[in-house]
């Protein structure tokens, strides 16, 4: 399969990338290419120009800034999965990145491309939602920040302003003592998430849950925060029954739909099963 | 639209090649059709099977999902450059010793994936090997002997005595990276 013809340019700075997008209405950014090139090969995307940002050095890397973990947009899934800072401070993100596709895909795909593409079955959106991600974005109007809340508008549709480049994604570090995880039911053929759950929680010494985050990807038209699950847990004493009852609300906040592989009812059921598994991992003692 | 050609220079198996290509030319076609290196196979063309895997700057990538222009200035290793009959790469030797193939169609991609995996993780557990091979599809072997072949290569590359019989099945699963 061969994409339709296009022009190609490499840019060295984010400013050049923005200018190239503005000057060429049919242009698209190219990062790792692992969402865009497959679409172009099937001619589901036919950009007239690719603006390759993969050589922009400053868009790579992970660093801590105040209470946030900042991840350069071009940082690959593999780099995130193996990064010591990520593994220490946000294990859920490292786990999610390590579950993306396969070894070859993780060598190429980037966090910026993953979240810009906004495939509803992608893994990273669940983690981004659970930890209040904020995008640093450069556009024609200059630098701005875009919060994750309200970012995912529909399958492959986001609130990212036109002709703009995500330079970094920052995630809010949870309070110390929080445990976090990402669990996933991969589609047996594609490997994408049929359901993926990011969860984080902290339990006080007296057994009361004083911090909890749960977000779900894969099951719905857009990934979502499972607010109803969080509400059922926050301020409560951990118990087996509590976890089960809370997990029963896993699909409440999503707009869940069925497809050829999994019916709506089955997906709702999977949401509860995987939210429960994630909660058991972060709430079990020892 | 007009397809303007661009000049790319890629170092493949240690040799530099300069060609004028259309931006839409895939790396796998560049290797096979422009350079005649047909050891890199095309199995699915939809980024699933891994038969097209090569090393790009040392990392295993699916060359059907990379544009030749993206590889401009880069270093590519294909199966032809990994080793030769008198000096097999440890992974190639492992496939030979452990009978890691049947029809051989997937083999170049599997070997390149394994070589890339061992470069990133020289000491993989059996589970890590199986996970690392997720991006390759073999319709013949059932993977058991492929896993043994990679274990053989890992041992060999450690410089230790290579001939340890390692059971490919039944080792306990220890999930890494738990919260
Ligand atoms: C076989 C296969 C299996 C996969 N399995 C999974 C999986 O299980 N889970 C999963 O989550 N993903 C999976 N993916 C997708 C993978 O994670 C992609 O790498 C990722 O979604 C896109 O990142 P990229 O860097 O490749 O982006 P590209 O393909 O280069 O770009 C994707 C889109 O984002 C835009 N874009 C890229 N970078 C930026 C930026 N910095 N700012 C603004 N816009 C930008 C591009 O213009 C394009 O529209 C899979 C992909 C393949 C090929
Ligand atoms: S031909 Fe590239 S992954 Fe199958
Ligand atoms: S040996 Fe035949 S497909 Fe793998």
């Amino acid at each position: 399969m061969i994409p339709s013809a296009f022009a190609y340019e490499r840019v060295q700075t984010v400013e050049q990338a923005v200018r190239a997008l503005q000057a060429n209405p049919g242009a698209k950014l190219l990062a790792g290419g692992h969402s865009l090139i497959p679409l172009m090969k099937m001619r589901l995307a036919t950009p007239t120009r690719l603006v390759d940002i993969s050589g922009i050095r400053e868009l790579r890397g992970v660093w801590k800034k105040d209470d946030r973990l900042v991840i350069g947009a071009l940082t690959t899934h593999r780099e995130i999965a193996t990064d010591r800072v990520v593994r220490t401070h946000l294990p859920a993100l490292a786990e999610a990145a390590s579950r993306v596709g396969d070894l070859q895909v993780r060598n190429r795909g980037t966090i910026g491309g993953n979240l810009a593409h906004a495939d509803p079955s992608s893994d990273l959106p669940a983690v981004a939602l659970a930890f209040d991600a904020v995008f640093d974005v450069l556009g024609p109007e200059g630098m701005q920040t875009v919060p994750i809340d309200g970012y995912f508008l529909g399958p492959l549709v986001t609130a990212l302003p036109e002709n703009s480049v995500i330079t970094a994604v920052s995630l809010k570090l949870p309070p110390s003592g929080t445990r976090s995880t990402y669990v996933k039911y991969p589609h047996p053929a594609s490997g994408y998430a049929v359901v993926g759950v990011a969860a984080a929680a902290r339990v006080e010494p007296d057994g009361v849950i004083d911090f909890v985050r749960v977000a779900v990807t894969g099951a719905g038209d857009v990934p979502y925060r499972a607010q109803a699950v969080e509400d059922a847990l926050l301020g409560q004493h951990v118990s087996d029954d509590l976890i089960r009852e809370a997990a029963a609300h896993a699909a409440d906040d999503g707009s869940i739909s069925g497809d050829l592989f999994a019916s709506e009812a089955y997906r709702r059921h999977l949401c509860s099963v995987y939210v429960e598994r994630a909660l058991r991992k972060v709430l079990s003692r020892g | 639209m007009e397809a303007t050609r661009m000049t790319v220079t890629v170092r493949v198996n240690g040799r530099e090649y300069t060609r004028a290509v259309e931006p839409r030319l895939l790396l796998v076609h560049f290797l096979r059709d422009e350079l005649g290196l047909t050891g890199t196979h095309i199995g699915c063309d939809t980024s699933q099977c891994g038969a097209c895997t090569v090393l790009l700057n040392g990392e295993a990538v699916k060359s059907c999902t990379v544009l030749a222009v993206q590889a401009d200035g880069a270093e590519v290793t294909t199966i032809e450059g990994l080793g030769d009959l008198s000096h097999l790469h440890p992974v190639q030797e492992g496939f030979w010793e452990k009978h890691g193939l049947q029809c051989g169609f997937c083999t170049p991609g599997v070997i390149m994936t394994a070589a890339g995996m061992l470069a990133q993780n020289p000491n993989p557990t059996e589970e890590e090997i199986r996970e690392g091979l997720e991006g390759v599809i073999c319709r013949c072997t059932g993977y058991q002997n492929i896993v043994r072949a990679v274990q053989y290569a890992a041992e060999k590359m450690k410089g230790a005595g290579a001939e340890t019989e390692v059971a490919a099945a039944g080792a306990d699963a220890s999930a890494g990276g738990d919260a």
Side-chain angles (χ1 to χ4, degrees):
Chain A
M1 294 179 305
I2 296 169
S4 58
F6 55 85
Y8 171 89
E9 75 178 289
R10 278 187 192 184
V11 291
Q12 304 307 326
T13 68
V14 187
E15 289 76 13
Q16 286 172 3
V18 173
R19 278 200 294 277
L21 290 176
Q22 281 182 288
N24 302 279
K28 262 189 165 301
L29 296 175
L30 178 68
H34 270 49
S35 288
L36 188 51
I37 293 173
L39 282 185
M40 289 171 63
K41 288 171 71 179
M42 290 190 285
R43 308 227 172 174
L44 295 171
T46 52
T48 52
R49 171 176 293 257
L50 290 186
V51 179
D52 188 344
I53 56 173
S54 64
I56 308 179
R57 288 249 169 133
E58 62 268 27
L59 298 193
R60 256 168 216 278
V62 177
W63 58 97
K64 256 183 85 181
K65 195 178 163 212
D66 305 325
D67 62 344
R68 287 192 162 260
L69 200 64
V70 187
I71 301 140
L74 287 176
T75 314
T76 62
H77 304 312
R78 169 182 145 74
E79 285 162 348
I80 292 170
T82 55
D83 186 274
R84 197 166 292 152
V85 179
V86 178
R87 292 173 70 105
T88 309
H89 295 282
L90 267 187
L93 176 61
E95 283 176 61
S98 76
R99 302 294 308 274
V100 170
D102 51 53
L103 177 140
Q104 297 100 308
V105 171
R106 292 190 293 273
N107 279 339
R108 293 295 289 170
T110 68
I111 186 169
N114 190 283
L115 294 172
H117 189 62
D119 188 309
S121 305
S122 275
D123 295 297
L124 304 188
V127 183
L129 280 163
F131 298 101
D132 299 312
V134 172
F135 297 98
D136 292 334
V137 172
L138 186 78
E141 319 296 330
M143 275 309 282
Q144 68 179 98
T145 55
V146 176
I148 196 78
D149 191 20
Y151 171 82
F152 295 110
L153 299 175
L156 312 187
V157 185
T158 72
L160 205 64
E162 225 187 328
N163 296 332
S164 62
V165 181
I166 299 172
T167 60
V169 189
S170 76
L171 304 186
K172 190 160 191 278
L173 292 170
S176 70
T178 299
R179 298 172 70 182
S180 75
T181 191
Y182 179 77
V183 297
K184 167 182 187 181
Y185 175 53
H187 188 289
S190 78
Y192 277 88
V194 179
V195 170
V197 177
R202 186 171 77 167
V203 184
E204 289 178 62
D206 61 0
V208 170
I209 301 166
D210 72 344
F211 176 85
V212 61
R213 289 306 175 91
V214 181
V216 179
T217 188
D221 299 336
V222 289
Y224 61 93
R225 270 276 290 282
Q227 197 68 55
V229 177
E230 294 180 12
D231 291 346
L233 293 168
L234 193 65
Q236 305 296 315
H237 262 273
V238 184
S239 74
D240 231 37
D241 287 346
L242 179 75
I243 291 175
R244 206 171 316 112
E245 281 158 24
H249 295 288
D252 290 8
D253 293 279
S255 112
I256 314 292
S257 45
D259 61 16
L260 279 178
F261 176 72
S263 66
E264 185 191 328
Y266 179 49
R267 263 180 220 270
R268 285 180 183 279
H269 176 68
L270 283 177
C271 285
S272 291
V273 170
Y274 278 77
V275 165
E276 187 174 329
R277 283 186 193 174
L279 290 176
R280 286 195 193 289
K281 283 178 83 175
V282 294
L283 288 172
S284 67
R285 324 311 292 292
Chain B
M1 75 170 273
E2 196 57 41
T4 359
R5 285 176 177 259
M6 301 183 74
T7 304
V8 298
T9 300
V10 189
R11 209 173 165 78
V12 183
N13 301 330
R15 209 180 125 191
E16 209 162 270
Y17 297 88
T18 300
R19 294 286 189 280
V21 302
E22 273 192 73
R24 61 176 168 171
L25 184 73
L26 300 170
L27 179 58
V28 68
H29 292 136
F30 178 80
L31 295 170
R32 290 177 56 87
D33 304 344
E34 293 284 332
L35 307 188
L37 295 170
T38 53
T40 302
H41 291 171
I42 301 174
C44 65
D45 210 6
T46 54
S47 317
Q48 310 291 333
C49 75
C52 63
T53 302
V54 300
L55 301 184
L56 180 63
N57 292 330
E59 292 185 333
V61 305
K62 293 172 177 175
S63 63
C64 75
T65 317
V66 175
L67 302 167
V69 286
Q70 286 178 290
D72 185 23
E75 185 118 16
V76 173
T77 308
T78 69
I79 189 71
E80 289 93 341
L82 198 63
D84 59 48
L85 272 181
S86 48
H87 298 96
L88 289 179
H89 182 279
V91 177
Q92 292 171 312
E93 194 182 308
F95 271 68
W96 181 308
E97 291 296 332
K98 299 295 170 189
H99 200 73
L101 63 149
Q102 288 179 31
C103 80
F105 186 84
C106 71
T107 309
V110 179
I111 287 181
M112 298 315 291
T113 303
M117 178 199 324
L118 291 176
Q120 291 175 334
N121 178 8
N123 238 325
T125 62
E126 184 195 329
E127 195 188 351
E128 286 169 343
I129 293 173
R130 289 181 182 274
E131 274 172 4
L133 294 171
E134 246 177 303
V136 295
I137 294 175
C138 175
R139 300 192 304 175
C140 302
T141 65
Y143 303 99
Q144 297 297 91
N145 286 353
I146 294 179
V147 173
R148 290 192 182 103
V150 179
Q151 287 174 321
Y152 175 98
E155 279 298 318
K156 172 107 194 194
M157 288 164 85
K158 252 189 281 177
E163 266 305 329
T164 36
E165 265 310 323
V166 254
D172 32 330
S174 57
D178 253 3

